[in-house]
Amino acid sequence: MKKFVKLVIDGKELTLPVIEGSEGEKAIDIRNLRQETGYITFDPGFGNSGTCKSAITYMDGEKGILRYRGVPIEQLAEHSTFVETAFLLIAGHLPTRKELTRTSVYLNDFSPLHENMKAFYQNYPPKAHPMGILSAMVNAMRSFYPELLDIEEDMNKTYLRLISKIRTMSAMAYRISLGEKVVYPRPDLCYCANFLNMMFDNVVIPYRIDDDMVRALNVFWILHADHEQNCSTTAVRVVGSGKVNIYSAISSGISALWGPLHGGANQAVINMLEEIHKDGMTVKECLSKAKDPNDPFRLYGFGHRVYKTFDPRAKIMKKMCDILLTKIKRKDPLLDIVQRLEEAALKDSYFKDKNLYPNVDFYSGIVLRAMGIPTNMFTVMFAIGRLPGWIAQWKEDVADPEMRISRPRQIYTGNQLQEYIPIGDRRYVPYPKNALNAWMVTSISSVDISRWVTSLK
Ligand code: ACO
């Protein structure tokens, strides 16, 4: 039975329909609100706003549940591979053997890069962050591979081309940053083994494929493959809503993921742990800094917009940490700090009261270190894993007849009508509180000014 809620605004009663999801989540449909009342809703960060209906990923932040197309993340991490999970997310069902073989053939066929793309890398400054390079390269794919057709079969090839090439592009960025020879993909290796080989094979020390490392990488990427309407996925949907090509939409997702509050948190966690290790900061000092509202420091890897209990991915990641470190017979001093931080934070009332628990990134850096992945590649590893999710969400968005171009409203708080003042009549107004304006004023030297004045004449 259809449900409705009543809203009374300025004495006028409005009846709004309720939408209910397959797991009982409820939303009030406010699409006619502004038209009928003149009001809009105010929800910075979209914490209470549903921006789409989606059949891809279900998560329950209170119970710590995550499922892709209904399948629990724990089962996928135990039994699936990254390629199979990618298929599940994009196609909507687990592949048959034939479908999986066909997918692997395409992934293999698409794995080499256009040779001219290498020139891009070679001209980047040596210290450029690989996330910046990756987002530019994915955007450039539109020019290198312009064949995008609306036919389902061709779009499927585009998805697989992206999934295959992002792995080659990422490994290539790493090799070139080291000044080392690029390693090409091998047709005899599976997706994850191929990536590790492209990263680490060397003419002097050939890389030995280790099944446990390959399994760990599969699990790492499965855990990152989708997370419903997070920051980067929302970026992909918003940018995609303007009907831009898929490569540009995905490239914007990569840029959004880079931030330390989102995918960049895995790198931020390791930087934080290294600082603690190097400076000898105690766990207590670290937590005090994180709790101080006047200190921008946060306990990276803790807290989540949706999870108000343990992130189920963090539990799996923690187990993987133990397996890998036992396997490589190495003690990572950062693991000890992570464990002590977690234990102390979970007992601390600040973290308990705010429901701040470890998220996937708290342990993922240690796992990546155990695989030999350098810190500045961590967020790239996340991006490769998240790609199937972005593709699935983009695909769902463009096919949704209810979707419109993303165009939120705002509450304007600026000046009311002002008359234009001719430049000779303007008064200098200092901007002490506005950082950007203050920067603009103080950073312009008299040399710059005289140069501009000359050029204006
Ligand atoms: N350390 C210290 N305090 C924290 C932390 C943290 N890691 N996370 C949240 N808080 C505090 C906030 O200061 C805020 O306090 P207040 O109510 O006194 O102002 C309160 O908890 C609520 O936090 P918000 O930032 O409002 O929560 P929000 O849902 O907007 O942010 C986020 C979630 C960005 C993940 C936040 O918890 C955070 O910054 N965590 C650290 C970064 C991180 O690990 N990001 C990875 C997220 S998972 C992912 O993207 C893969």
Side-chain angles (χ1 to χ4, degrees), residues 96-217:
T96 60
R97 208 175 287 280
K98 199 169 156 198
E99 285 171 321
L100 196 56
T101 307
R102 197 156 18 139
T103 302
S104 299
V105 169
Y106 277 126
L107 287 174
N108 181 49
D109 288 356
F110 291 140
S111 59
L113 285 192
H114 195 295
E115 279 294 305
N116 290 355
M117 284 189 116
K118 259 209 272 177
F120 268 53
Y121 290 103
Q122 274 143 356
N123 291 312
Y124 263 94
K127 291 225 164 97
H129 196 286
M131 282 299 274
I133 302 177
L134 190 66
S135 92
M137 295 300 280
V138 169
N139 206 5
M141 281 180 75
R142 174 70 180 98
S143 308
F144 283 95
Y145 307 99
E147 52 278 18
L148 293 171
L149 298 171
D150 285 338
I151 312 158
E152 174 87 12
E153 173 70 8
D154 288 291
M155 271 323 280
N156 286 340
K157 283 191 199 161
T158 298
Y159 306 148
L160 293 175
R161 180 181 287 125
L162 256 165
I163 293 174
S164 184
K165 289 196 192 302
I166 196 171
R167 156 193 70 163
T168 315
M169 289 192 293
S170 304
M172 198 186 257
Y174 173 61
R175 300 295 296 217
I176 291 178
S177 75
L178 294 182
E180 288 186 4
K181 203 166 177 302
V182 166
V183 178
Y184 285 86
R186 272 174 39 188
D188 57 318
L189 296 179
C190 70
Y191 190 90
C192 293
N194 231 325
F195 175 77
L196 290 170
N197 190 61
M198 283 192 273
M199 286 284 288
F200 302 122
D201 189 44
N202 193 299
V203 269
V204 229
I205 314 166
Y207 184 69
R208 274 190 35 240
I209 308 283
D210 179 297
D211 288 346
D212 290 331
M213 286 294 167
V214 172
R215 183 67 214 144
L217 185 53

Side-chain angles (χ1 to χ4, degrees), residues 44-45 47 224 227 230-232 257 259-266 268-269 287 289-293 295-308 311 313 350-351 354-362 382 386:
H224 286 84
H227 217 218
N230 55 82
C231 171
S232 54
L257 189 74
L261 295 192
H262 188 20
N266 53 17
V269 170
L287 293 191
K289 259 173 91 59
K291 292 189 287 187
D292 181 354
D295 191 327
F297 179 85
R298 285 195 162 195
L299 184 57
Y300 286 103
F302 252 73
H304 198 274
R305 170 62 61 81
V306 180
Y307 293 122
K308 299 303 164 205
D311 175 341
R313 302 167 303 170
Y350 173 93
F351 292 89
K354 292 182 191 295
N355 289 323
L356 301 172
Y357 289 88
N359 60 50
V360 68
D361 287 324
F362 200 57
F382 190 156
R386 183 53 54 88

